[in-house]
Amino acid sequence: MNLKQLSEILGLSQTTVSRALNGYPEVSEGTRIRVQAAADKHGYRPNSRAKGLATGRSMVIGHVIPSSSQHEMVNPIFGDFVAGAARTYAEYNYDMMFTHAPDTSIEDSYRSLFNRGVVDGVVLQGPKVDEPRISVLSRMGVPFIVHGRSTCAKGAYDWIDVNNQRSFERATRFLIDLGHRRIALINGLEDMDFAQRRRSGYVAALEEAGIALDPCLLRSAEMTEIYGHQTACEMLKLDDPPTAILASSIISAVGVRRALEDNGLKMGRDVSVIAHDDELSYMRNGMDVPIFTATRSSVRHAGELAAEMLIERINAPNDPPKTCLLEAELVVGSSTGPAPQRA
Amino acid sequence: MNLKQLSEILGLSQTTVSRALNGYPEVSEGTRIRVQAAADKHGYRPNSRAKGLATGRSMVIGHVIPSSSQHEMVNPIFGDFVAGAARTYAEYNYDMMFTHAPDTSIEDSYRSLFNRGVVDGVVLQGPKVDEPRISVLSRMGVPFIVHGRSTCAKGAYDWIDVNNQRSFERATRFLIDLGHRRIALINGLEDMDFAQRRRSGYVAALEEAGIALDPCLLRSAEMTEIYGHQTACEMLKLDDPPTAILASSIISAVGVRRALEDNGLKMGRDVSVIAHDDELSYMRNGMDVPIFTATRSSVRHAGELAAEMLIERINAPNDPPKTCLLEAELVVGSSTGPAPQRA
DNA sequence: TGATGCATCCAAAGCGCTTTGAAAAAGAGT
DNA sequence: ACTCTTTTTCAAAGCGCTTTGGATGCATCA
């Protein structure tokens, strides 16, 4: 069923039917109702490609799957962020498109999506400290939003981010206040912008307290469970092991917990752990009582907001750049406690 | 840059340019090279909407985000399955589209995607035991593939699935052979087809061994970490607690492990655990030595295969239905051991 | 009564591509 | 030199929609 057929059935022109369905005022209320009824009855759905061709808009937003090349890993927060965004898109009648790209051609992927007219805008996930994609997209004139920020990016751009620096500074200070001096940071990949900011929050808190930074207590890699486990195991073998560990994701924190248990240590008593909790739906940090003391910020909610900001941008390409800085909450669970007295 | 502009630059007709770029034989090798060079130089990308309109194909495949309504949970395997599929799509020049739908209108979402001409085919994830979407899609004539199967579905359809029944039967038998008699199954949601099959494999193995089924040792819910933890805790409080636990996902298995530790029990010695391992990229089951004894089958690989099968179906709508049954591997880790002697 | 405005509706152009049917150009054969 | 193929190129139609720039009818006003 297409417009032509529908208009023939109704004995109206395509123009009128199209206008009736799209809510233009030039059509009488009577015919509008008649048209709408017929459309519903026959299950008419305007062909979105044709519509897009005519309007110049595709009502589609593009994401490029951030599959870190090295280990072909899917970012665990990907699913929840996307679910949040999708929810907003559905509300505004946008569809959502994905492209997989090897890390090398990720830029091309964005370019291709936009130049082929597939999407009206794109979401940039997982920005690095130095993120070339941002300037590329700016130059191309693609409406886009960044989930996170990029320290090295020059111009202004739309972004939404968690205050990583502040939340990790706070978490670190919390541990220091509990008497900890040997505090480790098991961080995300070093070239990721968020990791850099978390690190600087951590460093700032240590400095403030006059604690020297020990490189042995600082690691970065992709935030898997295995990585958390292995790193924690190694650190526990140090002559002067950490009494507290900050983990950049709840997933690696799970690995840390496993490491503690493997070593016969009790989390919260022997070693304190604070995790960053993105509130992943399948990896909730406990029910009423949090398992981990955590800096908490819903990545799903961020997805919803990001989508909204992007849609705004698409509708008003010339508005000044918008940004949104979310504050993470510090929730106290049972994984932290006072620093144990040295033997 | 569009076709018209490019053809004017070249002094050729749109027809010739189009043919040259699409590899039709009616154009001389000389001009083909010339055209290709110009296209590259100017970064010409055919508008995919226009192309779709003209060809009647969109080169897009649709997925509907399986967000279980109740807890708005994103299926944890979603990301990896999709990453696999995306890889194949990229190879065949397909794009990938997502729609979020509340559980109630999930059927409409598929209908809308297809009727609006947005997609050439769809992937159906997370089929239930009784899955109405299958017959809907069949009737609509949408090319589709099911990741999993639906026991109640009538006609034939394309699917790819893991042999859940067999793998859980094998895992259960493995535990029985180790001397376990109190074996629990912490399963996925009961109305999901895969959960049903795993359960029947479990039941079959118990029956074979003449062990009576104890309803107290059987649970189903969404496979979160919390669920695994809570369920295991409850079961351990029974008068006659399980000595072995089968977990339907590695994520709930993590919860089970936490429960054991909370209760001062050692996994593999006091209580054996077998998990189903989808090889999620951020939740690997150990490095060289598996953490959990597990039934293993890569969901990412399934995604790749599913995409391939769907593309085949799109290209040959009238071929007889194709199916693919993957066998899960049983990998033995340190989470299982002989049943402890009763006190 | 004719001019004016307003509410409805429509024919046709155009979005950027593919593809049909035909024409022009180039070789081949005699 | 002329016809007959074969190769190469093209103009134009069509995909399904929106939108421009009229038409048409009808009530209103002088």
Side-chain angles (χ1 to χ4, degrees):
Chain A
M1 171 66 54
N2 59 22
L3 226 208
K4 192 174 173 194
Q5 294 166 6
L6 184 63
S7 63
E8 276 164 5
I9 290 177
L10 283 159
L12 290 171
S13 76
Q14 298 190 34
T15 310
T16 306
V17 176
S18 169
R19 293 206 147 130
L21 294 175
N22 290 318
Y24 282 71
E26 299 97 328
V27 55
S28 71
E29 206 46 38
T31 50
R32 161 162 298 132
I33 291 172
R34 202 160 64 89
V35 169
Q36 191 57 261
D40 290 349
K41 179 179 160 198
H42 296 90
Y44 168 72
R45 306 273 194 166
N47 180 299
S48 72
R49 275 179 266 124
K51 189 166 186 166
L53 237 204
T55 58
R57 299 183 67 175
S58 60
M59 298 304 284
V60 174
I61 298 208
H63 290 235
V64 171
I65 296 188
S67 82
S68 308
S69 59
Q70 295 178 315
H71 315 95
E72 276 289 333
M73 200 190 79
V74 181
N75 195 319
I77 71 166
F78 169 77
D80 273 87
F81 179 82
V82 157
R87 201 184 129 93
T88 302
Y89 295 149
E91 200 176 312
Y92 290 88
N93 286 313
Y94 272 85
D95 285 319
M96 183 181 211
M97 173 134 299
F98 279 82
T99 311
H100 169 94
D103 246 16
T104 52
S105 69
I106 207 160
E107 211 171 292
D108 266 0
S109 299
Y110 281 114
R111 201 190 302 273
S112 162
L113 275 181
F114 192 69
N115 285 348
R116 288 183 305 146
V118 180
V119 302
D120 292 335
V122 300
V123 174
L124 200 157
Q125 283 161 275
K128 313 215 159 167
V129 178
D130 181 12
E131 184 52 74
R133 289 176 287 166
I134 291 178
S135 56
V136 171
L137 292 175
S138 291
R139 266 202 306 282
M140 283 173 61
V142 190
F144 70 99
I145 184 160
V146 181
H147 179 215
R149 279 172 283 178
S150 178
T151 309
C152 296
K154 282 139 292 182
Y157 54 89
D158 293 354
W159 53 259
I160 178 170
D161 198 4
V162 178
N163 197 337
N164 284 300
Q165 145 103 34
R166 160 128 29 129
S167 66
F168 268 57
E169 184 169 349
R170 222 172 126 199
T172 310
R173 201 179 291 140
F174 179 82
L175 290 170
I176 293 172
D177 289 346
L178 283 170
H180 294 276
R181 287 292 172 276
R182 297 288 292 165
I183 302 172
L185 173 60
I186 299 186
N187 207 356
L189 278 172
E190 209 146 47
D191 56 348
M192 301 301 280
D193 196 77
F194 78 90
Q196 205 69 207
R197 292 178 191 273
R198 289 179 184 178
R199 178 192 170 133
S200 77
Y202 162 79
V203 170
L206 290 185
E207 273 181 4
E208 188 193 53
I211 301 174
L213 187 74
D214 182 350
C216 294
L217 299 183
L218 194 47
R219 289 291 177 80
S220 19
E222 261 166 347
M223 304 181 295
T224 62
E225 197 267 356
I226 296 287
Y227 160 59
H229 176 258
Q230 187 162 319
T231 309
C233 282
E234 286 168 19
M235 287 183 175
L236 291 173
K237 287 206 190 79
L238 292 173
D239 290 338
D240 194 7
T243 63
I245 298 177
L246 284 163
S248 241
S249 117
I250 211 160
I251 293 187
S252 7
V254 168
V256 170
R257 190 179 62 208
R258 182 158 64 91
L260 295 182
E261 282 147 5
D262 284 357
N263 285 274
L265 298 168
K266 184 156 166 47
M267 183 168 82
R269 189 194 61 197
D270 304 317
V271 177
S272 289
V273 175
I274 297 186
H276 181 76
D277 176 14
D278 293 295
E279 302 200 60
L280 305 182
S281 56
Y282 48 88
M283 205 76 203
R284 280 279 149 78
N285 185 19
M287 304 283 278
D288 14 71
V289 182
I291 302 168
F292 294 103
T293 296
T295 55
R296 182 166 71 188
S297 176
S298 163
V299 72
R300 179 188 218 113
H301 185 227
E304 289 177 10
L305 293 176
E308 240 159 58
M309 291 172 69
L310 179 54
I311 291 172
E312 273 175 29
R313 163 66 52 221
I314 290 172
N315 292 328
N318 298 317
D319 276 9
K322 289 197 179 73
T323 63
C324 174
L325 188 58
L326 303 166
E327 291 297 337
E329 200 183 344
L330 183 67
V331 298
V332 178
S334 51
S335 67
T336 45
Q341 297 307 315
R342 280 306 203 69
Chain B
M1 170 65 57
N2 59 23
L3 226 207
K4 192 174 174 191
Q5 294 165 7
L6 184 64
S7 63
E8 276 163 6
I9 291 177
L10 283 159
L12 290 171
S13 75
Q14 297 190 34
T15 311
T16 307
V17 176
S18 169
R19 293 207 148 131
L21 294 174
N22 291 317
Y24 281 70
E26 299 97 326
V27 55
S28 70
E29 205 46 38
T31 50
R32 160 161 300 133
I33 291 172
R34 200 160 63 89
V35 169
Q36 191 58 259
D40 290 348
K41 180 180 160 197
H42 295 91
Y44 167 73
R45 306 272 197 166
N47 181 299
S48 73
R49 274 180 266 121
K51 189 166 185 165
L53 238 204
T55 58
R57 300 184 66 174
S58 60
M59 298 306 283
V60 173
I61 297 210
H63 289 234
V64 171
I65 296 188
S67 83
S68 309
S69 59
Q70 295 178 319
H71 314 95
E72 275 289 332
M73 198 190 80
V74 181
N75 195 320
I77 71 165
F78 169 77
D80 273 86
F81 180 82
V82 156
R87 199 182 130 93
T88 301
Y89 294 150
E91 200 175 312
Y92 289 89
N93 287 311
Y94 272 85
D95 286 319
M96 185 181 207
M97 172 134 296
F98 280 82
T99 311
H100 170 94
D103 246 17
T104 51
S105 70
I106 207 160
E107 211 171 292
D108 267 0
S109 300
Y110 281 114
R111 203 191 301 274
S112 161
L113 275 181
F114 192 70
N115 286 348
R116 287 184 305 147
V118 179
V119 302
D120 292 335
V122 300
V123 175
L124 200 158
Q125 280 161 279
K128 312 216 160 164
V129 178
D130 181 11
E131 184 51 76
R133 290 177 285 167
I134 292 178
S135 55
V136 171
L137 293 175
S138 291
R139 264 202 306 282
M140 283 173 62
V142 190
F144 71 98
I145 184 160
V146 181
H147 179 215
R149 279 172 284 177
S150 177
T151 309
C152 296
K154 280 141 292 182
Y157 53 90
D158 293 354
W159 55 259
I160 179 171
D161 198 4
V162 179
N163 196 339
N164 283 301
Q165 144 103 34
R166 163 130 22 132
S167 66
F168 269 57
E169 184 170 347
R170 222 172 125 199
T172 308
R173 202 179 289 140
F174 180 81
L175 290 169
I176 293 172
D177 289 346
L178 282 169
H180 295 276
R181 288 292 173 274
R182 298 287 294 164
I183 303 172
L185 173 60
I186 299 185
N187 207 357
L189 279 172
E190 209 146 46
D191 56 349
M192 302 300 280
D193 196 77
F194 78 89
Q196 204 70 209
R197 290 177 192 275
R198 289 179 184 179
R199 177 192 171 133
S200 76
Y202 162 77
V203 170
L206 290 185
E207 273 181 5
E208 188 193 51
I211 301 174
L213 185 75
D214 182 349
C216 295
L217 299 184
L218 193 47
R219 289 291 177 80
S220 17
E222 261 166 346
M223 304 181 294
T224 62
E225 198 267 357
I226 297 288
Y227 159 61
H229 177 259
Q230 187 161 321
T231 308
C233 282
E234 287 169 18
M235 287 183 176
L236 291 172
K237 287 207 192 79
L238 292 174
D239 290 339
D240 193 7
T243 63
I245 298 178
L246 284 163
S248 241
S249 117
I250 211 159
I251 294 186
S252 5
V254 168
V256 169
R257 189 179 64 207
R258 181 159 63 91
L260 295 181
E261 281 145 7
D262 285 358
N263 286 273
L265 297 169
K266 185 155 167 46
M267 184 168 79
R269 188 194 61 196
D270 303 317
V271 176
S272 290
V273 175
I274 298 185
H276 182 75
D277 175 14
D278 292 296
E279 302 201 60
L280 305 182
S281 57
Y282 48 88
M283 205 75 203
R284 279 282 148 77
N285 185 21
M287 304 283 277
D288 14 70
V289 182
I291 304 168
F292 294 104
T293 296
T295 55
R296 181 165 74 187
S297 175
S298 164
V299 73
R300 180 189 217 111
H301 185 227
E304 289 177 11
L305 293 177
E308 240 159 57
M309 289 173 69
L310 179 54
I311 291 171
E312 274 176 27
R313 161 68 52 222
I314 289 171
N315 291 328
N318 298 316
D319 275 9
K322 289 197 181 71
T323 64
C324 174
L325 187 58
L326 303 166
E327 291 298 334
E329 200 182 345
L330 183 67
V331 298
V332 179
S334 51
S335 67
T336 44
Q341 296 309 312
R342 282 302 206 68

